[in-house]
Amino acid sequence: MKVVATPLPGVLVLEPDVFFDHRGYFFEAYNQEAMARLGITAEFVQDNESRSKKGVLRGLHFQVPPFAQGKLVRVVFGEVLDVAVDLRKHSPTFGRWVSQVLSEQNKFLLWIPEGFAHGFITLSDEAVFTYKCTALYHKASERTIRFDDPVLAIEWGNSHPIVAEKDLEAPLFSQTENPF
């Protein structure tokens, strides 16, 4: 597996070794020992999957401690633009974001540790998105940052995304409770 560092320390793009033959392909989407060699020693306790149509934007979501989540995300079907925002107040990249296209074709994974908000927008007609989490979902700890925050200025590539009501009503970055 090849690891590509992003401009946000801790956020990693993982490019798995994919083996193709006349039957199709095979790759390891997760291997605990291989991840540990890459410095990802997180224990995953919950797997999630979502299906979204083109233009659906989910995010920017995170959970506060003690239920903060690291996420290992990938796309099984289709294509998304995945985004992580650094919430770590003492980080030199605080308030900056990084994006990565994840697709069934490239089979990339993105590791997003605790201390980051996360979101994605579906680029293909449909996409199936999966992610492993290091903490269980805890509704009272869930927080959302407005996806179109002018200070963050995330380039989603879609000026009229399909967004859930809770994401439309989310506070701006500067108004969000942030314990990181």
Side-chain angles (χ1 to χ4, degrees):
M1 183 169 300
K2 180 180 173 187
V3 179
V4 179
T6 70
L8 301 182
V11 177
L12 303 172
V13 178
L14 308 176
E15 299 178 7
D17 297 320
V18 183
F19 303 96
F20 294 92
D21 67 18
H22 67 281
R23 300 167 296 166
Y25 69 86
F26 170 85
F27 75 99
E28 289 182 346
Y30 177 75
N31 176 309
Q32 185 179 33
E33 287 183 11
M35 292 293 166
R37 286 193 298 272
L38 301 174
I40 302 171
T41 57
E43 179 182 343
F44 296 102
V45 297
Q46 181 175 323
D47 284 3
N48 299 325
E49 179 175 303
S50 67
R51 184 180 193 112
S52 302
K53 61 184 180 178
K54 186 173 188 157
V56 168
L57 191 153
R58 296 179 187 264
L60 299 160
H61 303 145
F62 66 100
Q63 288 187 180
V64 296
F67 299 98
Q69 293 178 319
K71 296 177 182 177
L72 183 63
V73 303
R74 72 184 185 98
V75 169
V76 177
F77 174 80
E79 181 177 69
V80 307
L81 179 71
D82 201 72
V83 173
V85 178
D86 193 344
L87 302 179
R88 302 168 301 171
K89 295 175 191 167
H90 300 292
S91 167
T93 57
F94 173 69
R96 291 183 43 204
W97 57 273
V98 65
S99 65
Q100 175 66 50
V101 173
L102 303 177
S103 72
E104 69 180 296
Q105 284 79 28
N106 68 25
K107 298 180 184 9
F108 292 176
L109 296 89
L110 191 66
W111 166 243
I112 306 163
E114 293 178 12
F116 290 83
H118 172 252
F120 68 89
I121 188 166
T122 304
L123 303 175
S124 53
D125 288 339
E126 284 189 312
V128 176
F129 186 87
T130 67
Y131 49 110
K132 301 179 90 50
C133 299
T134 61
L136 297 174
Y137 173 72
H138 188 260
K139 186 168 180 57
S141 300
E142 181 182 32
R143 302 292 184 272
T144 305
I145 299 170
R146 180 87 182 183
F147 70 94
D148 60 354
D149 182 284
V151 171
L152 296 177
I154 296 171
E155 298 168 11
W156 295 103
N158 183 328
S159 58
H160 295 72
I162 303 164
V163 182
E165 196 65 33
K166 76 172 186 174
D167 294 343
L168 284 173
E169 296 172 354
L172 296 174
F173 180 70
S174 64
Q175 301 166 332
T176 302
E177 174 191 346
N178 179 5
F180 298 105

